[in-house]
Amino acid sequence: MRHVRERCVWSQRITHRDLVPYLIEEAHEVIEAVETEDRAGLREELGDLLWQVLFHSAVAAQDPDDPFDIDDVARGLTEKMVRRHPHVFGGAVARTPEEVLVHWNAAKAAEKRERRSVLDGVPAGMPALARAQKVLGRAAKVVPVVERAEGETKRVDSESALGDALIALVAHARTNGWDAERALRERIRLLEDEVRAAEAGLDR
């Protein structure tokens, strides 16, 4: 990475902002490899995602005001994981996954004391369905999240009503422990298979 940053004229001009589309694309390619159980693809895509982390760190190392490098990133991550796993690195006890989450959330809350809302920290750039699922999970701690999915789609006669129906379906997904974003991705994949099969039939 150091050689590429120093010797490649394209890479020398790249900023954090320039890298964002590539980071999103590589993350989605990792997700696709996981969901399609493509082991060779997963190995390759994890490498591409790691390259993005290395690239961002190389760009950050050249910042004149607040430089940090990949060693600083790794050190910060190590310290965070030690704090959030007191049942592994300390004297705390966690015998179930639920008890692990109690320790994790307590450590996270201590780290994020400046947050004033349960919604703080939910990235604005998340895909809409995934963000809706995250926001609903946080909102349920403060206000009653009423599930209205049953029959909601029958009243969709405007874009606003469509938004209501979608949020109701996401609430329904959360109630059942389903991942709305993954469900839609996998259904789209089935549709893509149907389209390609139809196209193959037309080619004969």
Side-chain angles (χ1 to χ4, degrees):
M1 182 69 249
R2 188 178 300 112
H3 286 305
V4 167
R5 182 69 173 167
E6 291 173 356
R7 301 178 185 180
C8 172
V9 292
W10 181 84
S11 298
Q12 289 168 356
R13 300 170 58 187
I14 293 297
T15 66
H16 290 298
R17 190 176 294 272
D18 295 331
L19 284 172
V20 167
Y22 302 103
L23 178 61
I24 293 170
E25 181 179 344
E26 298 300 352
H28 281 288
E29 288 178 353
V30 169
I31 292 168
E32 182 177 6
V34 169
E35 293 181 348
T36 59
E37 299 182 355
D38 179 357
R39 297 288 294 172
L42 178 59
R43 182 170 60 245
E44 178 183 353
E45 299 306 341
L46 284 172
D48 291 345
L49 188 59
L50 176 59
W51 182 255
Q52 292 300 306
V53 176
L54 294 169
F55 210 147
H56 275 284
S57 299
V59 173
Q62 294 177 328
D63 187 289
D65 301 317
D66 184 22
F68 61 84
D69 61 16
I70 190 64
D71 290 329
D72 297 314
V73 172
R75 188 178 304 110
L77 175 62
T78 299
E79 292 169 357
K80 179 193 288 186
M81 290 302 107
V82 169
R83 283 195 309 272
R84 293 193 184 181
H85 293 81
H87 55 292
V88 175
F89 300 101
V93 176
R95 295 186 178 88
T96 67
E98 291 76 19
E99 290 176 352
V100 170
L101 284 178
V102 169
H103 292 307
W104 178 278
N105 289 330
K108 188 173 181 179
E111 294 166 12
K112 311 291 183 181
R113 287 197 182 98
E114 73 281 0
R115 291 183 176 175
R116 295 292 176 261
S117 168
V118 294
L119 301 180
D120 288 349
V122 178
M126 286 179 76
L129 269 179
R131 190 163 191 268
Q133 196 149 322
K134 191 83 169 176
V135 167
L136 281 171
R138 299 281 187 92
K141 300 174 184 176
V142 180
V143 296
V145 177
V146 181
E147 186 185 333
R148 304 187 310 276
E150 198 66 40
E152 189 74 40
T153 55
K154 295 176 182 175
R155 296 188 292 275
V156 176
D157 54 5
S158 68
E159 195 167 288
S160 176
L162 176 61
D164 289 339
L166 288 170
I167 203 78
L169 285 171
V170 173
H172 183 64
R174 284 197 69 257
T175 300
N176 288 278
W178 302 333
D179 185 320
E181 192 87 15
R182 183 173 60 226
L184 182 58
R185 278 198 308 269
E186 292 183 349
R187 186 60 188 85
I188 289 170
R189 258 187 220 112
L190 290 175
L191 177 59
E192 289 172 336
D193 290 343
E194 292 174 29
V195 170
R196 290 193 178 100
E199 289 171 336
L202 290 173
D203 289 340
R204 293 194 184 108

